[in-house]
Amino acid sequence: MKFCLHSRLLQSEPMRRCRLTECRAACCVYGVWLDWAEWEEIQLYAPLIIPHMPPDLNDPRGWVDGRVEDDSFTPSRRVIHSRVLPDAGHYGGSACVFLRDDSRCALQVAGEQAGLHPWRFKPFYCILHPLDLSEDGQITLDEREALLDEPGSCLRPSENVQPLVKVFEPELRYLLGMDGWQVLLQEINEPDR
């Protein structure tokens, strides 16, 4: 899919990303919606993912909860929800089935171990987070106060003001592709061109 940015991401603000050691993947509390094509690919590559899942979760059929919805922002226009498990030690008392005890995502670890991009198997909405999509499908970010007031947020206050495109550079590079990222940098560096 081709994405464009909301003007909100061209602003600079006093925020930084969390660190996994601080948040322990709090964002995984409610699981994730997977595009149907992502889910099919996860099943196809299950032999690479299973070694990074707990032994009692080695059957891919147990990785989703069966909820399916329409979603106009994903390629297949249909999403299925990952299973959410009780987890007393995790923020909010629950966690996505793919969250490991070391607070890393089994899908990401599987990609890394296979010599692929770490996000090769990660769902679109995981990569996007804490960014979001506006009603017209532009990549955006919610208001700063709401994000920074939430204890489980993926963002933290910072003493330094920095461009949001730099805060979210890894995600934007991945989602926009190298060509889209280069175009964005040109627009930022030469706004009146």
Side-chain angles (χ1 to χ4, degrees):
M1 292 186 73
K2 186 173 173 132
F3 297 102
C4 60
L5 295 188
H6 189 277
S7 59
R8 166 105 165 89
L9 289 178
L10 301 178
Q11 298 174 9
S12 293
E13 297 187 20
M15 66 172 62
R16 67 171 175 84
R17 298 300 298 267
C18 68
R19 294 178 185 93
L20 199 56
T21 55
E22 292 174 343
C23 70
R24 296 185 46 238
C27 58
C28 298
V29 66
Y30 300 119
V32 66
W33 288 104
L34 301 107
D35 178 68
W36 197 260
E38 290 172 336
W39 171 231
E40 288 177 338
E41 189 165 82
I42 286 170
Q43 292 175 88
L44 179 67
Y45 288 99
L48 296 177
I49 299 166
I50 289 171
H52 307 287
M53 299 289 290
D56 61 332
L57 292 170
N58 63 9
D59 183 351
R61 291 175 294 189
W63 297 350
V64 292
D65 67 12
R67 286 183 287 161
V68 176
E69 290 189 8
D70 293 331
D71 185 333
S72 61
F73 297 122
T74 63
S76 72
R77 306 280 192 244
R78 217 167 57 153
V79 291
I80 187 166
H81 204 273
S82 70
R83 188 169 159 204
V84 177
L85 303 172
D87 185 342
H90 188 256
Y91 175 80
S94 65
C96 179
V97 69
F98 297 115
L99 184 64
R100 298 164 22 124
D101 289 341
D102 63 0
S103 301
R104 296 191 67 213
C105 175
L107 299 175
Q108 184 165 333
V109 172
E112 290 171 344
Q113 293 296 311
L116 304 169
H117 190 285
W119 294 341
R120 173 64 177 78
F121 303 124
K122 284 196 79 148
F124 163 75
Y125 284 116
C126 285
I127 297 167
L128 183 67
H129 186 80
L131 297 169
D132 202 354
L133 295 176
S134 66
E135 290 183 16
D136 56 354
Q138 293 179 322
I139 298 174
T140 190
L141 182 67
D142 288 333
E143 289 305 314
R144 180 167 44 109
E145 292 76 23
L147 291 167
L148 297 179
D149 288 345
E150 168 57 45
S153 175
C154 291
L155 297 170
R156 300 287 186 264
S158 173
E159 297 204 8
N160 301 320
V161 173
Q162 56 186 329
L164 292 177
V165 293
K166 292 307 267 179
V167 173
F168 300 106
E169 182 175 347
E171 292 86 353
L172 295 174
R173 278 181 180 262
Y174 189 86
L175 295 169
L176 298 174
M178 191 48 71
D179 290 342
W181 176 252
Q182 292 301 325
V183 167
L184 174 62
L185 291 180
Q186 278 184 323
E187 290 174 2
I188 292 170
N189 293 327
E190 302 172 25
D192 298 327
R193 198 177 139 205

Coordinates of all heavy atoms in Angstrom, one line a residue, residues 142-151 153:
D142 N -1.5 10.7 17.5 CA -2.5 11.3 18.4 C -1.9 12.5 19.1 O -0.7 12.7 19.1 CB -3.0 10.3 19.4 CG -3.9 9.3 18.8 OD1 -4.6 9.6 17.7 OD2 -4.0 8.1 19.3
E143 N -2.7 13.2 19.8 CA -2.2 14.4 20.5 C -1.2 14.0 21.6 O -1.4 13.0 22.3 CB -3.4 15.2 21.2 CG -4.2 15.9 20.1 CD -3.4 16.8 19.2 OE1 -2.6 17.6 19.8 OE2 -3.6 16.8 18.0
R144 N -0.2 14.8 21.8 CA 0.9 14.6 22.7 C 0.5 14.3 24.1 O 0.9 13.4 24.8 CB 1.9 15.7 22.6 CG 3.1 15.5 23.5 CD 4.2 16.5 23.3 NE 3.7 17.9 23.1 CZ 3.9 18.9 23.9 NH1 4.6 18.6 25.0 NH2 3.5 20.1 23.7
E145 N -0.4 15.1 24.7 CA -0.8 15.0 26.1 C -1.4 13.6 26.3 O -1.1 12.9 27.3 CB -1.8 16.1 26.5 CG -1.2 17.4 26.5 CD -1.0 18.1 25.1 OE1 -1.7 17.7 24.2 OE2 -0.1 18.9 25.0
A146 N -2.3 13.1 25.5 CA -2.9 11.8 25.7 C -1.9 10.7 25.6 O -1.9 9.8 26.4 CB -4.0 11.6 24.6
L147 N -0.9 10.8 24.7 CA 0.1 9.8 24.6 C 1.1 9.8 25.8 O 1.5 8.8 26.3 CB 0.9 10.0 23.3 CG 0.2 9.7 22.0 CD1 0.9 10.3 20.8 CD2 -0.1 8.3 21.9
L148 N 1.5 11.0 26.2 CA 2.5 11.1 27.3 C 1.9 10.9 28.7 O 2.6 10.5 29.6 CB 3.2 12.4 27.2 CG 4.0 12.6 26.0 CD1 4.7 14.0 26.0 CD2 5.0 11.6 25.8
D149 N 0.5 11.0 28.8 CA -0.1 10.8 30.1 C -0.4 9.3 30.3 O -0.6 8.9 31.5 CB -1.4 11.6 30.2 CG -1.2 13.1 30.4 OD1 0.0 13.5 30.7 OD2 -2.1 13.9 30.2
E150 N -0.4 8.5 29.3 CA -0.7 7.1 29.4 C 0.5 6.3 29.9 O 1.6 6.3 29.3 CB -1.1 6.5 28.0 CG -1.2 5.0 27.9 CD -2.1 4.4 29.0 OE1 -3.3 4.9 29.1 OE2 -1.7 3.4 29.6
P151 N 0.5 5.7 31.1 CA 1.6 5.0 31.6 C 2.2 3.9 30.7 O 3.4 3.7 30.7 CB 1.1 4.4 33.0 CG -0.1 5.2 33.3 CD -0.7 5.6 32.0
S153 N 2.3 4.0 27.5 CA 2.5 4.6 26.1 C 3.9 4.2 25.6 O 4.8 4.0 26.4 CB 2.4 6.1 26.2 OG 2.7 6.7 24.9

